[in-house]
Amino acid sequence: MNTAEKNIPAALNLLVVASLIVTVLFLLWLASRLPLPASLVIGLLFAMLLLTNYQLIHEATHGLLHPSPGVNENVGMLLSWLFPVSFTLMKVTHIVHHCCNRSDHEMFDCYYPGDSRILCCQPWRAKRRLVVPSSREAALLTRRAHSARGEAK
């Protein structure tokens, strides 16, 4: 067990995950039985809880939610069902994000001094292509990220 694995508060993380899941399911049940105005308040609470859910998924994508890779993967997948997003999609896009952070590839929403003022004001900065890597590109970028970290994948 390396130093990072020793510092993961596994029991606390699992307690937070269990509490989150129980609370979210309770709020969904409660909102289904209340009138619309009260359900909107429940919806705000639900939205705040999903920020915690996203953070836990983020930790799982980095393998830092639990020291056991199997537990980390399964808990990350369970949390992703509440989000809802595929845990595999989250992991791949997040690794690609770390590979391309602050590059032109990822900064499609930024513009530079010489850019057209007309094009830069369109939604998502139409002058740049929306970056959604294909499966092949994602697999290549994932392998590069793992090899950069010294992992064999």
Side-chain angles (χ1 to χ4, degrees), residues 27-145:
L27 288 177
L28 286 172
W29 173 84
L30 185 62
S32 71
R33 284 158 176 73
L34 294 174
L36 182 61
S39 292
L40 293 175
V41 173
I42 299 294
L44 290 173
L45 293 171
F46 187 76
M48 285 188 257
L49 281 174
L50 284 184
L51 291 172
T52 301
N53 187 46
Y54 175 80
Q55 183 58 39
L56 292 168
I57 294 169
H58 178 260
E59 292 302 307
T61 62
H62 285 284
L64 298 174
L65 188 62
H66 195 276
S68 165
V71 172
N72 194 68
E73 185 81 13
N74 288 323
V75 172
M77 195 179 320
L78 180 65
L79 289 167
S80 295
W81 292 344
L82 290 174
F83 203 58
V85 66
S86 159
F87 185 57
T88 303
L89 176 69
M90 274 295 276
K91 284 196 311 186
V92 169
T93 57
H94 196 66
I95 289 171
V96 170
H97 159 72
H98 282 287
C99 289
C100 305
N101 195 13
R102 297 182 185 192
S103 68
D104 282 341
H105 179 74
E106 191 173 82
M107 293 174 49
F108 59 89
D109 58 338
C110 294
Y111 61 95
Y112 301 98
D115 290 348
S116 164
R117 290 198 177 263
I118 295 170
L119 293 178
C120 75
C121 297
Q122 293 178 2
W124 290 102
R125 314 293 190 232
K127 66 184 183 352
R128 309 242 190 262
R129 70 180 179 93
L130 182 60
V131 179
V132 179
S134 68
S135 309
R136 190 174 186 177
E137 289 173 320
L140 177 65
L141 290 169
T142 302
R143 279 195 295 272
R144 282 187 195 154

